């Protein structure tokens, strides 16, 4: 499992549908698996920062965008939403 995407020039990533996403409470990360079987971890802090969320609410639910599986959304217990696209996962170094 890769803990972060290897640094590469932005826009050079190759699209691949997301298969599954799960939140790992013990490490405070999201584990994202793509159709190829590659798995990445996305820092919860980085996702909240990218979505400009400042609260400390807990994760309520996660779902993958259904039409092309190009990203996932996170809903928090206070009603906030965070959006994460496939390229954020594959092109952002931790």
């Amino acid at each position: 499992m890769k803990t972060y995407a290897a640094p590469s020039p932005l826009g050079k990533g190759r699209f691949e549908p997301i298969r599954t996403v799960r939140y790992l409470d013990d490490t405070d990360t999201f584990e994202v698996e793509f159709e190829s079987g590659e798995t990445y971890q996305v820092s919860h802090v980085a996702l909240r920062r990218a979505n400009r969320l400042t609260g400390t609410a807990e994760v309520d639910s996660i779902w993958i965008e259904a039409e092309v599986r190009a990203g996932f959304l996170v809903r928090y217990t206070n009603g906030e939403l965070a959006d994460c696209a496939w390229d954020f996962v594959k092109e952002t170094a931790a």
Side-chain angles (χ1 to χ4, degrees):
M1 172 186 342
K2 297 180 182 181
T3 55
Y4 64 90
S8 63
L10 291 177
K12 300 294 182 187
R14 190 171 150 252
F15 172 73
E16 187 175 357
I18 294 174
R19 182 184 297 165
T20 60
V21 178
R22 65 185 183 139
Y23 177 63
L24 305 174
D25 191 32
D26 57 333
T27 59
D28 198 28
T29 59
F30 293 93
E31 184 178 84
V32 183
E33 182 181 355
F34 289 89
E35 281 298 319
S36 67
E38 277 190 307
T39 304
Y40 294 90
Q41 286 187 353
V42 177
S43 165
H44 190 195
V45 172
L47 182 62
R48 291 185 70 80
R49 189 178 321 119
N51 282 274
R52 295 183 175 94
L53 302 177
T54 58
T56 58
E58 294 182 19
V59 173
D60 181 45
S61 59
I62 304 168
W63 69 97
I64 298 171
E65 183 271 316
E67 193 169 329
V68 292
R69 299 181 316 195
F72 66 93
L73 294 115
V74 180
R75 181 182 337 198
Y76 294 94
T77 54
N78 65 358
E80 291 182 315
L81 290 173
D83 183 18
C84 186
W86 70 271
D87 56 344
F88 181 81
V89 177
K90 290 192 109 178
E91 294 184 347
T92 304

